[in-house]
Amino acid sequence: MNRASLHFLLAALVAIALPLFMRSGTLASEVLIFAMAAAACNLLLGYTGLLSFGQGIFFGLGSYAAGLTLLHTSLPLALALVLSAITGAVVATGVGWLSIRRQGVYFVMLTLAFSQFFYFLAYTFKDITGGDNGLLNIPRPAIGPFSLGESWAYYAFVAVLFLLLFAALQRVASSTFGRTLLAVRDNEERARAIGFPVRNFKITAFAISGAVTGLAGALHALLIGVAPLSNIDYHMSESILIMTIIGGTGNLFASVLGAGFYVIVSDLLSSIWPRWLLLLGGLLIVVALFMQKGLWGLLERLVEALPMGRKSSINSSIESPIQPESEGRGI
Amino acid sequence: MLNRRDLLKLSSVAVGSLLLPTGLRPAFAAGGDITIGAPLPMSGPFAANGKFGSMGTAMLVEEVGKVLDRKLSYLEIDTEGKPATAVRKVQEAMERGVTLFSGGILSSEALAMGKEVAKGKGVFITTAGADEITGSECNKSTFRWSVPTFGAIEQTVRPLIEQLPNAKRWYTITPQYVFGDGLLNAAKAIFKEKGIEHVGNSYHSLTEKEFSGYLTNAMAAKPDALLILNFGSQSSDTLRQAVSFGMKNRMTILLAWASGLEQFEALGPELMEGVYFGAQYWHGIDSPFNRELVAKVQAKHKMNPNYAFASAYLTTKILIDAAAKAGSADGPAVTQAMEGMKYAGLTGDEEIRAADHQVIKNYYLLKGKAKSAMKDKDDYADIISFGKSFQSPEQAQCKMA
């Protein structure tokens, strides 16, 4: 089995295991929704070297697009989701087109500025977005004969979409386009010298990431029946980035691990200790200092430590996009 | 690379797993207990309010012990101050059989949770501020104890104008969103009616921390009274900066929506002396139920109850009393029992209006005391006046489904 198939199999196992081990269909759905958002973020961070604080914009706009479509039109759910993905892609193209004109810290600042810009747009146009109160009463219509009202039924729907999107993102990552993104990340000047249209590649990566994140935002709004202002806040971008970094930027499945870990651990810790954010902060420090490949890297080390793991590591290939020593170079 | 056939196979396995009998999943139906859900911000910026709210609910549940011959318990739900987390956790609690909820301090959380509880035909009673809760977004399952913006202004601005007939020029500082506009519009209506000159208004954003620019504009307009319409840490920051600019000596200051004791502890008597505050609750209220609660809390926790504590205690009591009256903990039965319910509350006689689920209760105008006049460490203010002012359900735009 090749590496991509193994990762897809692991993603499918996660989708199968969640209903068996979790008591809440809502929480399980949230894990997969954020797994999609983190995987989309990973396409930018891990594969293209772009540390974007704009992911919250696409997530929030996806929520609003789905909510407004379902509240004010009679379009079916599938079309509302497609519109959310298109909204995410279009806005991401614009944000990407302007942001990638600068590199390094200036790129990060531009995405942060866009994040604030869209937050205040949503806050100001309260007649459309609901402002601080959020966009309320978002329905969760049925898909054909299948009702999505029950939380595990909705989970099944999210799980199918998650697996389809995961496979699609894998396809993108392993395509010539994806390989070129790695080349751009590792040495942008060299890629440009070879003749790659680096700028177009980065904008396309932004658009794909925006589409998937927008769709994740739409699924989130359907999950809770509300598109809250916090969905477009820069804290949302921050959370998605933290999930991506905790999981590891090495491959797309690492983002699934990161999202699952973040959502489930946050839920557990918050019920145990009100100051749980302190623990999360501590964990981030540990990841930054000692686990730069994230949870996936830790998993790799554990498997390699096993007798059989020494012979065949779960990720022994040189094609891994993990390049912790080069982290930050591409931004 | 995975081919299409493998993908389809794996997808069908994923879907198939979801169709497993529910018995294979962890069982989480509530047992014989009646559980009160307490969705509160236990972490995040509003954690202090959440903590006292939880203490209030816990104390009442412990005190009552049993209702309808069933053990009473409570489930603390940390909303983290985020509507999305709040809704998700309320969904989970409802899946576990919880139908009665008391909590939701933040408006955005409360609105979203109210909708969710309504879907599951539960009951939710909150103390959040947004007028929409019992206004345009009212629903069959949601009740609100706190007085809306209209009543808060009617019971603070109007009596103060009557007390200070020479204060003819008023300046307002307003957070620019629905809550702030609700307070501002109510104040403008009174200004117009009483012939008061509204000499200016400064809008600020929800995230503003620096108010000196707005206060400079206010001073330039030379008002007789400054009306502060923001709340929480923003109102504390506005007041601190106004006092440091010497505005307290030049004009009357009214902070129309104060949090009460928890805010006064942070401000201190030096800042508060001579300043007027509007409050939903004050531990010095002279009502039988409040006196009883203050004595109990002092005995148990060696403190006076603040707004978050007292309101959570009372709203939990309302739910339990309604369940006892209905003879059932089912949402629709409890809702029916609550509609029109009259009871001796914290602020005196209170009543739940059936048409919009708004509790009809008093709102208070307080005045900060000098430190030398304080009888004990919490005696920060005197009650100047109080009363009940509410729009009709039609004026509040409540159309109960």
Side-chain angles (χ1 to χ4, degrees):
Chain A
M1 186 185 290
N2 65 24
R3 186 171 151 267
S5 303
L6 174 68
H7 290 172
F8 183 83
L9 188 64
L10 289 172
L13 282 174
V14 168
I16 293 165
L18 285 175
L20 299 175
F21 295 103
M22 291 181 73
R23 66 184 184 185
S24 163
T26 313
L27 186 62
S29 299
E30 195 168 273
V31 167
L32 294 191
I33 288 167
F34 280 111
M36 288 181 216
C41 179
N42 201 356
L43 188 71
L44 286 181
L45 182 62
Y47 285 78
T48 322
L50 296 168
L51 180 66
S52 162
F53 274 88
Q55 301 308 100
I57 304 171
F58 320 136
F59 193 89
L61 288 177
S63 298
Y64 287 132
L68 290 168
T69 306
L70 293 170
L71 279 171
H72 301 299
T73 73
S74 53
L75 292 175
L77 175 60
L79 214 52
L81 294 177
V82 170
L83 280 175
S84 301
I86 291 171
T87 306
V90 169
V91 175
T93 303
V95 169
W97 182 72
L98 284 163
S99 302
I100 60 168
R101 288 164 181 265
R102 292 291 175 267
Q103 287 188 315
V105 72
Y106 297 103
F107 168 82
V108 176
M109 282 174 68
L110 274 168
T111 59
L112 259 176
F114 273 115
S115 179
Q116 287 292 291
F117 175 78
F118 278 95
Y119 170 80
F120 279 102
L121 270 185
Y123 175 64
T124 305
F125 289 100
K126 57 178 184 279
D127 291 339
I128 300 170
T129 62
D132 187 49
N133 290 340
L135 186 66
L136 302 166
N137 301 319
I138 298 174
R140 196 193 292 170
I143 285 268
F146 302 106
S147 163
L148 301 178
E150 202 264 328
S151 66
W152 286 109
Y154 187 66
Y155 174 83
F157 176 64
V158 171
V160 171
L161 282 180
F162 161 74
L163 289 175
L164 291 172
L165 278 173
F166 188 84
L169 281 175
Q170 274 195 314
R171 178 77 86 171
V172 168
S174 59
S175 67
T176 309
F177 169 75
R179 297 285 142 192
T180 312
L181 289 181
L182 291 176
V184 170
R185 183 203 66 189
D186 290 341
N187 194 326
E188 189 172 331
E189 291 309 314
R190 188 165 58 195
R192 190 173 284 116
I194 292 168
F196 286 119
V198 170
R199 198 173 151 74
N200 292 347
F201 272 73
K202 282 185 176 178
I203 292 171
T204 309
F206 249 104
I208 295 169
S209 180
V212 175
T213 312
L215 186 66
L219 291 171
H220 191 258
L222 289 167
L223 174 72
I224 60 171
V226 182
L229 188 62
S230 56
N231 269 12
I232 201 166
D233 193 358
Y234 83 91
H235 288 300
M236 180 56 76
S237 305
E238 195 181 85
S239 299
I240 294 171
L241 270 171
I242 290 173
M243 290 174 203
T244 312
I245 292 166
I246 285 180
T249 51
N251 60 68
L252 294 173
F253 180 71
S255 303
V256 180
L257 274 184
F261 183 85
Y262 182 93
V263 174
I264 294 168
V265 167
S266 299
D267 189 67
L268 284 175
L269 290 179
S270 71
S271 62
I272 296 167
W273 192 40
R275 304 285 172 269
W276 61 275
L277 285 166
L278 270 175
L279 299 177
L280 200 65
L283 178 71
L284 264 181
I285 293 170
V286 170
V287 170
L289 288 175
F290 307 111
M291 289 167 54
Q292 290 178 351
K293 290 183 181 179
L295 291 173
W296 177 258
L298 184 68
L299 202 63
E300 271 187 317
R301 274 194 247 169
L302 288 173
V303 172
E304 278 168 14
L306 298 171
M308 55 179 248
R310 290 196 192 100
K311 287 179 188 168
S312 72
S313 158
I314 57 169
N315 184 2
S316 58
S317 66
I318 54 167
E319 63 181 352
S320 165
I322 304 171
Q323 300 284 348
E325 64 280 6
S326 68
E327 271 175 17
R329 199 166 58 191
I331 63 170
Chain B
M1 183 60 199
L2 199 71
N3 61 37
R4 193 172 291 116
R5 182 168 299 177
D6 291 338
L7 175 69
L8 287 171
K9 272 185 205 163
L10 285 166
S11 303
S12 61
V13 169
V15 176
S17 78
L18 302 171
L19 302 175
L20 286 171
T22 44
L24 290 179
R25 295 183 199 139
F28 44 79
D33 291 9
I34 291 177
T35 303
I36 305 291
L40 294 159
M42 301 305 295
S43 57
F46 297 90
N49 304 73
K51 178 186 134 189
F52 287 113
S54 176
M55 284 168 72
T57 297
M59 186 167 143
L60 194 275
V61 166
E62 193 182 306
E63 207 177 284
V64 176
K66 280 179 102 175
V67 68
L68 303 171
D69 286 331
R70 289 162 72 185
K71 191 173 167 255
L72 201 56
S73 63
Y74 90 104
L75 178 69
E76 183 184 283
I77 299 167
D78 180 12
T79 62
E80 301 169 27
K82 300 174 189 165
T85 308
V87 170
R88 199 241 304 148
K89 290 188 177 178
V90 162
Q91 281 181 1
E92 288 167 21
M94 294 189 87
E95 284 172 3
R96 293 165 71 181
V98 180
T99 54
L100 307 180
F101 295 88
S102 156
I105 289 171
L106 303 174
S107 296
S108 53
E109 285 183 351
L111 276 162
M113 286 192 286
K115 300 285 177 189
E116 198 54 42
V117 175
K119 276 187 214 163
K121 298 200 187 309
V123 183
F124 173 55
I125 183 162
T126 181
T127 58
D131 288 355
E132 296 90 330
I133 294 169
T134 48
S136 58
E137 298 293 341
C138 70
N139 65 59
K140 198 69 182 161
S141 294
T142 305
F143 294 79
R144 195 251 291 264
W145 184 72
S146 49
V147 174
T149 55
F150 173 82
I153 291 299
E154 281 288 326
Q155 290 300 328
T156 53
V157 173
R158 191 180 289 278
L160 200 54
I161 287 172
E162 282 160 13
Q163 285 205 5
L164 306 168
N166 294 328
K168 293 288 185 193
R169 294 164 57 81
W170 285 59
Y171 192 95
T172 49
I173 293 180
T174 313
Q176 193 167 25
Y177 69 111
V178 184
F179 169 78
D181 278 329
L183 290 171
L184 181 63
N185 292 336
K188 279 180 174 174
I190 297 176
F191 294 159
K192 194 176 170 189
E193 181 196 321
K194 294 282 183 184
I196 299 292
E197 189 183 352
H198 186 205
V199 293
N201 175 59
S202 293
Y203 271 124
H204 65 76
S205 83
L206 195 60
T207 53
E208 191 67 85
K209 290 188 190 322
E210 171 53 51
F211 298 92
S212 56
Y214 310 120
L215 293 168
T216 308
N217 290 342
M219 280 195 291
K222 295 190 171 41
D224 300 317
L226 173 69
L227 174 57
I228 299 172
L229 297 175
N230 49 25
F231 76 101
S233 60
Q234 284 193 323
S235 63
S236 295
D237 289 344
T238 311
L239 182 61
R240 274 194 200 99
Q241 289 168 32
V243 171
S244 73
F245 280 16
M247 293 173 79
K248 202 165 77 170
N249 303 324
R250 292 187 220 170
M251 62 193 78
T252 301
I253 300 178
L254 166 60
L255 203 157
W257 193 280
S259 320
L261 187 57
E262 51 265 60
Q263 186 173 21
F264 297 168
E265 283 169 341
L267 288 171
E270 287 79 13
L271 276 171
M272 286 179 58
E273 184 185 350
V275 175
Y276 291 87
F277 298 89
Q280 299 278 358
Y281 170 76
W282 181 241
H283 65 275
I285 293 171
D286 188 21
S287 74
F289 187 82
N290 185 53
R291 283 198 299 273
E292 194 184 315
L293 173 67
V294 171
K296 278 184 206 165
V297 177
Q298 283 175 345
K300 187 176 170 70
H301 294 292
K302 310 277 180 274
M303 61 175 236
N304 284 309
N306 56 27
Y307 172 51
F309 189 113
S311 58
Y313 180 91
L314 179 68
T315 52
T316 308
K317 185 175 187 313
I318 291 170
L319 286 177
I320 293 166
D321 287 352
K325 183 180 161 192
S328 162
D330 288 344
V334 175
T335 295
Q336 201 178 1
M338 283 173 76
E339 287 177 342
M341 192 165 121
K342 292 179 183 173
Y343 57 91
L346 289 167
T347 70
D349 289 336
E350 299 178 1
E351 179 183 354
I352 302 174
R353 193 160 62 182
D356 60 353
H357 293 184
Q358 172 65 51
V359 172
I360 307 299
K361 64 172 275 289
N362 287 319
Y363 194 81
Y364 294 83
L365 176 65
L366 311 176
K367 187 177 183 185
K369 275 181 170 179
K371 191 172 183 181
S372 57
M374 288 170 64
K375 290 184 198 124
D376 59 61
K377 70 175 183 59
D378 291 341
D379 186 26
Y380 289 100
D382 283 324
I383 296 174
I384 303 297
S385 64
F386 60 91
K388 295 168 182 166
S389 298
F390 292 86
Q391 290 181 311
S392 68
E394 294 75 31
Q395 286 171 321
Q397 297 170 30
C398 171
K399 288 176 190 152
M400 195 72 75

